[in-house]
PDB file of all heavy atoms in Angstrom:
ATOM      1  N   LEU A1089      22.143  65.054  -4.908  1.00 85.00           N
ATOM      2  CA  LEU A1089      21.186  64.050  -5.350  1.00 85.00           C
ATOM      3  C   LEU A1089      20.154  63.823  -4.249  1.00 85.00           C
ATOM      4  O   LEU A1089      20.511  63.599  -3.092  1.00 85.00           O
ATOM      5  CB  LEU A1089      21.913  62.743  -5.680  1.00 85.00           C
ATOM      6  CG  LEU A1089      21.114  61.694  -6.423  1.00 85.00           C
ATOM      7  CD1 LEU A1089      20.721  62.200  -7.811  1.00 85.00           C
ATOM      8  CD2 LEU A1089      21.907  60.413  -6.555  1.00 85.00           C
ATOM      9  N   GLY A1090      18.886  63.952  -4.592  1.00 83.00           N
ATOM     10  CA  GLY A1090      17.809  63.755  -3.626  1.00 83.00           C
ATOM     11  C   GLY A1090      17.425  65.003  -2.856  1.00 83.00           C
ATOM     12  O   GLY A1090      16.417  65.015  -2.158  1.00 83.00           O
ATOM     13  N   GLU A1091      18.180  66.090  -2.997  1.00 85.00           N
ATOM     14  CA  GLU A1091      17.921  67.309  -2.238  1.00 85.00           C
ATOM     15  C   GLU A1091      17.058  68.276  -3.046  1.00 85.00           C
ATOM     16  O   GLU A1091      17.377  68.601  -4.186  1.00 85.00           O
ATOM     17  CB  GLU A1091      19.250  67.973  -1.895  1.00 85.00           C
ATOM     18  CG  GLU A1091      19.123  69.251  -1.110  1.00 85.00           C
ATOM     19  CD  GLU A1091      20.476  69.861  -0.812  1.00 85.00           C
ATOM     20  OE1 GLU A1091      21.055  70.504  -1.703  1.00 85.00           O
ATOM     21  OE2 GLU A1091      20.961  69.660   0.314  1.00 85.00           O
ATOM     22  N   GLY A1092      15.967  68.727  -2.474  1.00 85.00           N
ATOM     23  CA  GLY A1092      15.067  69.643  -3.153  1.00 85.00           C
ATOM     24  C   GLY A1092      14.369  68.953  -4.316  1.00 85.00           C
ATOM     25  O   GLY A1092      14.534  67.757  -4.555  1.00 85.00           O
ATOM     26  N   ILE A1093      13.573  69.702  -5.041  1.00 89.00           N
ATOM     27  CA  ILE A1093      12.842  69.132  -6.178  1.00 89.00           C
ATOM     28  C   ILE A1093      13.811  68.708  -7.280  1.00 89.00           C
ATOM     29  O   ILE A1093      13.694  67.618  -7.834  1.00 89.00           O
ATOM     30  CB  ILE A1093      11.787  70.130  -6.699  1.00 89.00           C
ATOM     31  CG1 ILE A1093      10.683  70.305  -5.634  1.00 89.00           C
ATOM     32  CG2 ILE A1093      11.195  69.659  -8.027  1.00 89.00           C
ATOM     33  CD1 ILE A1093       9.652  71.359  -5.934  1.00 89.00           C
ATOM     34  N   THR A1094      14.806  69.534  -7.569  1.00 89.00           N
ATOM     35  CA  THR A1094      15.765  69.196  -8.618  1.00 89.00           C
ATOM     36  C   THR A1094      16.535  67.931  -8.276  1.00 89.00           C
ATOM     37  O   THR A1094      16.697  67.048  -9.116  1.00 89.00           O
ATOM     38  CB  THR A1094      16.743  70.368  -8.849  1.00 89.00           C
ATOM     39  OG1 THR A1094      15.984  71.550  -9.128  1.00 89.00           O
ATOM     40  CG2 THR A1094      17.683  70.087  -9.993  1.00 89.00           C
ATOM     41  N   GLY A1095      16.991  67.819  -7.051  1.00 89.00           N
ATOM     42  CA  GLY A1095      17.707  66.622  -6.624  1.00 89.00           C
ATOM     43  C   GLY A1095      16.827  65.384  -6.625  1.00 89.00           C
ATOM     44  O   GLY A1095      17.268  64.280  -6.950  1.00 89.00           O
ATOM     45  N   TRP A1096      15.541  65.572  -6.273  1.00 92.00           N
ATOM     46  CA  TRP A1096      14.595  64.458  -6.289  1.00 92.00           C
ATOM     47  C   TRP A1096      14.390  63.965  -7.721  1.00 92.00           C
ATOM     48  O   TRP A1096      14.393  62.760  -7.986  1.00 92.00           O
ATOM     49  CB  TRP A1096      13.259  64.878  -5.681  1.00 92.00           C
ATOM     50  CG  TRP A1096      12.305  63.739  -5.495  1.00 92.00           C
ATOM     51  CD1 TRP A1096      12.144  63.001  -4.371  1.00 92.00           C
ATOM     52  CD2 TRP A1096      11.392  63.198  -6.469  1.00 92.00           C
ATOM     53  NE1 TRP A1096      11.182  62.020  -4.574  1.00 92.00           N
ATOM     54  CE2 TRP A1096      10.713  62.130  -5.860  1.00 92.00           C
ATOM     55  CE3 TRP A1096      11.089  63.526  -7.784  1.00 92.00           C
ATOM     56  CZ2 TRP A1096       9.749  61.381  -6.531  1.00 92.00           C
ATOM     57  CZ3 TRP A1096      10.144  62.771  -8.457  1.00 92.00           C
ATOM     58  CH2 TRP A1096       9.480  61.712  -7.819  1.00 92.00           C
ATOM     59  N   VAL A1097      14.236  64.904  -8.667  1.00 93.00           N
ATOM     60  CA  VAL A1097      14.057  64.542 -10.074  1.00 93.00           C
ATOM     61  C   VAL A1097      15.295  63.822 -10.591  1.00 93.00           C
ATOM     62  O   VAL A1097      15.187  62.823 -11.305  1.00 93.00           O
ATOM     63  CB  VAL A1097      13.725  65.794 -10.918  1.00 93.00           C
ATOM     64  CG1 VAL A1097      13.846  65.518 -12.406  1.00 93.00           C
ATOM     65  CG2 VAL A1097      12.323  66.288 -10.579  1.00 93.00           C
ATOM     66  N   ALA A1098      16.480  64.295 -10.230  1.00 92.00           N
ATOM     67  CA  ALA A1098      17.716  63.635 -10.644  1.00 92.00           C
ATOM     68  C   ALA A1098      17.779  62.211 -10.094  1.00 92.00           C
ATOM     69  O   ALA A1098      18.156  61.280 -10.801  1.00 92.00           O
ATOM     70  CB  ALA A1098      18.927  64.437 -10.179  1.00 92.00           C
ATOM     71  N   GLN A1099      17.392  62.032  -8.864  1.00 92.00           N
ATOM     72  CA  GLN A1099      17.459  60.717  -8.224  1.00 92.00           C
ATOM     73  C   GLN A1099      16.417  59.750  -8.799  1.00 92.00           C
ATOM     74  O   GLN A1099      16.718  58.598  -9.075  1.00 92.00           O
ATOM     75  CB  GLN A1099      17.254  60.856  -6.719  1.00 92.00           C
ATOM     76  CG  GLN A1099      17.405  59.557  -5.963  1.00 92.00           C
ATOM     77  CD  GLN A1099      17.308  59.770  -4.466  1.00 92.00           C
ATOM     78  OE1 GLN A1099      16.607  60.658  -3.990  1.00 92.00           O
ATOM     79  NE2 GLN A1099      18.027  58.958  -3.719  1.00 92.00           N
ATOM     80  N   HIS A1100      15.192  60.242  -8.991  1.00 94.00           N
ATOM     81  CA  HIS A1100      14.090  59.362  -9.412  1.00 94.00           C
ATOM     82  C   HIS A1100      13.847  59.370 -10.915  1.00 94.00           C
ATOM     83  O   HIS A1100      13.084  58.538 -11.422  1.00 94.00           O
ATOM     84  CB  HIS A1100      12.807  59.759  -8.676  1.00 94.00           C
ATOM     85  CG  HIS A1100      12.898  59.548  -7.207  1.00 94.00           C
ATOM     86  ND1 HIS A1100      12.650  58.337  -6.616  1.00 94.00           N
ATOM     87  CD2 HIS A1100      13.249  60.377  -6.205  1.00 94.00           C
ATOM     88  CE1 HIS A1100      12.823  58.433  -5.312  1.00 94.00           C
ATOM     89  NE2 HIS A1100      13.201  59.672  -5.036  1.00 94.00           N
ATOM     90  N   ARG A1101      14.464  60.331 -11.611  1.00 95.00           N
ATOM     91  CA  ARG A1101      14.340  60.443 -13.064  1.00 95.00           C
ATOM     92  C   ARG A1101      12.890  60.531 -13.519  1.00 95.00           C
ATOM     93  O   ARG A1101      12.474  59.901 -14.487  1.00 95.00           O
ATOM     94  CB  ARG A1101      15.069  59.297 -13.741  1.00 95.00           C
ATOM     95  CG  ARG A1101      16.549  59.332 -13.424  1.00 95.00           C
ATOM     96  CD  ARG A1101      17.283  58.179 -13.933  1.00 95.00           C
ATOM     97  NE  ARG A1101      18.661  58.288 -13.441  1.00 95.00           N
ATOM     98  CZ  ARG A1101      19.589  57.394 -13.665  1.00 95.00           C
ATOM     99  NH1 ARG A1101      19.316  56.344 -14.375  1.00 95.00           N
ATOM    100  NH2 ARG A1101      20.783  57.562 -13.181  1.00 95.00           N
ATOM    101  N   GLU A1102      12.128  61.336 -12.793  1.00 95.00           N
ATOM    102  CA  GLU A1102      10.722  61.582 -13.101  1.00 95.00           C
ATOM    103  C   GLU A1102      10.477  63.090 -13.130  1.00 95.00           C
ATOM    104  O   GLU A1102      11.017  63.823 -12.309  1.00 95.00           O
ATOM    105  CB  GLU A1102       9.811  60.972 -12.033  1.00 95.00           C
ATOM    106  CG  GLU A1102       9.866  59.465 -11.937  1.00 95.00           C
ATOM    107  CD  GLU A1102       9.004  58.934 -10.803  1.00 95.00           C
ATOM    108  OE1 GLU A1102       8.047  59.618 -10.380  1.00 95.00           O
ATOM    109  OE2 GLU A1102       9.305  57.834 -10.320  1.00 95.00           O
ATOM    110  N   THR A1103       9.633  63.522 -14.045  1.00 97.00           N
ATOM    111  CA  THR A1103       9.259  64.929 -14.133  1.00 97.00           C
ATOM    112  C   THR A1103       8.406  65.323 -12.933  1.00 97.00           C
ATOM    113  O   THR A1103       7.575  64.546 -12.468  1.00 97.00           O
ATOM    114  CB  THR A1103       8.462  65.188 -15.426  1.00 97.00           C
ATOM    115  OG1 THR A1103       9.308  64.891 -16.538  1.00 97.00           O
ATOM    116  CG2 THR A1103       7.985  66.627 -15.515  1.00 97.00           C
ATOM    117  N   VAL A1104       8.625  66.535 -12.443  1.00 95.00           N
ATOM    118  CA  VAL A1104       7.810  67.073 -11.347  1.00 95.00           C
ATOM    119  C   VAL A1104       7.297  68.448 -11.762  1.00 95.00           C
ATOM    120  O   VAL A1104       8.067  69.301 -12.203  1.00 95.00           O
ATOM    121  CB  VAL A1104       8.628  67.181 -10.041  1.00 95.00           C
ATOM    122  CG1 VAL A1104       7.860  67.958  -8.987  1.00 95.00           C
ATOM    123  CG2 VAL A1104       8.997  65.809  -9.519  1.00 95.00           C
ATOM    124  N   LEU A1105       5.992  68.641 -11.610  1.00 95.00           N
ATOM    125  CA  LEU A1105       5.344  69.924 -11.842  1.00 95.00           C
ATOM    126  C   LEU A1105       4.643  70.305 -10.544  1.00 95.00           C
ATOM    127  O   LEU A1105       3.737  69.619 -10.098  1.00 95.00           O
ATOM    128  CB  LEU A1105       4.324  69.825 -12.982  1.00 95.00           C
ATOM    129  CG  LEU A1105       3.383  71.007 -13.192  1.00 95.00           C
ATOM    130  CD1 LEU A1105       4.152  72.287 -13.468  1.00 95.00           C
ATOM    131  CD2 LEU A1105       2.417  70.716 -14.325  1.00 95.00           C
ATOM    132  N   VAL A1106       5.114  71.384  -9.917  1.00 93.00           N
ATOM    133  CA  VAL A1106       4.542  71.846  -8.651  1.00 93.00           C
ATOM    134  C   VAL A1106       4.148  73.302  -8.836  1.00 93.00           C
ATOM    135  O   VAL A1106       5.004  74.158  -9.049  1.00 93.00           O
ATOM    136  CB  VAL A1106       5.556  71.715  -7.490  1.00 93.00           C
ATOM    137  CG1 VAL A1106       4.946  72.211  -6.194  1.00 93.00           C
ATOM    138  CG2 VAL A1106       6.043  70.284  -7.345  1.00 93.00           C
ATOM    139  N   ASN A1107       2.865  73.583  -8.765  1.00 93.00           N
ATOM    140  CA  ASN A1107       2.400  74.955  -8.977  1.00 93.00           C
ATOM    141  C   ASN A1107       2.225  75.746  -7.696  1.00 93.00           C
ATOM    142  O   ASN A1107       1.899  76.922  -7.731  1.00 93.00           O
ATOM    143  CB  ASN A1107       1.118  74.965  -9.801  1.00 93.00           C
ATOM    144  CG  ASN A1107       1.451  75.001 -11.266  1.00 93.00           C
ATOM    145  OD1 ASN A1107       2.298  75.770 -11.698  1.00 93.00           O
ATOM    146  ND2 ASN A1107       0.811  74.151 -12.044  1.00 93.00           N
ATOM    147  N   ASP A1108       2.444  75.115  -6.567  1.00 91.00           N
ATOM    148  CA  ASP A1108       2.492  75.807  -5.279  1.00 91.00           C
ATOM    149  C   ASP A1108       3.415  74.995  -4.385  1.00 91.00           C
ATOM    150  O   ASP A1108       3.013  73.964  -3.841  1.00 91.00           O
ATOM    151  CB  ASP A1108       1.099  75.922  -4.656  1.00 91.00           C
ATOM    152  CG  ASP A1108       1.097  76.718  -3.358  1.00 91.00           C
ATOM    153  OD1 ASP A1108       2.199  76.996  -2.814  1.00 91.00           O
ATOM    154  OD2 ASP A1108       0.008  77.055  -2.879  1.00 91.00           O
ATOM    155  N   VAL A1109       4.660  75.440  -4.279  1.00 88.00           N
ATOM    156  CA  VAL A1109       5.661  74.645  -3.560  1.00 88.00           C
ATOM    157  C   VAL A1109       5.306  74.447  -2.089  1.00 88.00           C
ATOM    158  O   VAL A1109       5.759  73.488  -1.472  1.00 88.00           O
ATOM    159  CB  VAL A1109       7.081  75.245  -3.701  1.00 88.00           C
ATOM    160  CG1 VAL A1109       7.534  75.210  -5.153  1.00 88.00           C
ATOM    161  CG2 VAL A1109       7.155  76.643  -3.127  1.00 88.00           C
ATOM    162  N   THR A1110       4.460  75.312  -1.533  1.00 85.00           N
ATOM    163  CA  THR A1110       4.065  75.144  -0.130  1.00 85.00           C
ATOM    164  C   THR A1110       3.104  73.970   0.032  1.00 85.00           C
ATOM    165  O   THR A1110       2.901  73.494   1.141  1.00 85.00           O
ATOM    166  CB  THR A1110       3.397  76.417   0.433  1.00 85.00           C
ATOM    167  OG1 THR A1110       2.178  76.671  -0.284  1.00 85.00           O
ATOM    168  CG2 THR A1110       4.325  77.613   0.335  1.00 85.00           C
ATOM    169  N   LYS A1111       2.525  73.503  -1.080  1.00 86.00           N
ATOM    170  CA  LYS A1111       1.585  72.385  -1.024  1.00 86.00           C
ATOM    171  C   LYS A1111       2.128  71.140  -1.720  1.00 86.00           C
ATOM    172  O   LYS A1111       1.376  70.232  -2.045  1.00 86.00           O
ATOM    173  CB  LYS A1111       0.257  72.791  -1.658  1.00 86.00           C
ATOM    174  CG  LYS A1111      -0.432  73.899  -0.904  1.00 86.00           C
ATOM    175  CD  LYS A1111      -1.722  74.300  -1.567  1.00 86.00           C
ATOM    176  CE  LYS A1111      -2.367  75.451  -0.775  1.00 86.00           C
ATOM    177  NZ  LYS A1111      -3.553  75.957  -1.431  1.00 86.00           N
ATOM    178  N   ASP A1112       3.450  71.084  -1.938  1.00 82.00           N
ATOM    179  CA  ASP A1112       4.069  69.926  -2.580  1.00 82.00           C
ATOM    180  C   ASP A1112       3.888  68.708  -1.683  1.00 82.00           C
ATOM    181  O   ASP A1112       4.365  68.680  -0.546  1.00 82.00           O
ATOM    182  CB  ASP A1112       5.551  70.189  -2.834  1.00 82.00           C
ATOM    183  CG  ASP A1112       6.266  68.994  -3.433  1.00 82.00           C
ATOM    184  OD1 ASP A1112       5.633  68.230  -4.190  1.00 82.00           O
ATOM    185  OD2 ASP A1112       7.465  68.832  -3.136  1.00 82.00           O
TER     186      ASP A1112
END
């Protein structure tokens, strides 16, 4: 929970769309 984009989405329950992970 909270780790990486998937963990962040699980923790915050918000959709994330990142088209360049180096610029997240």
Side-chain angles (χ1 to χ4, degrees):
L1089 192 64
E1091 180 180 79
I1093 292 174
T1094 305
W1096 188 94
V1097 167
Q1099 184 175 32
H1100 295 276
R1101 298 174 185 177
E1102 296 176 24
T1103 298
V1104 170
L1105 169 59
V1106 179
N1107 272 314
D1108 184 348
V1109 296
T1110 63
K1111 296 179 181 175
D1112 177 32

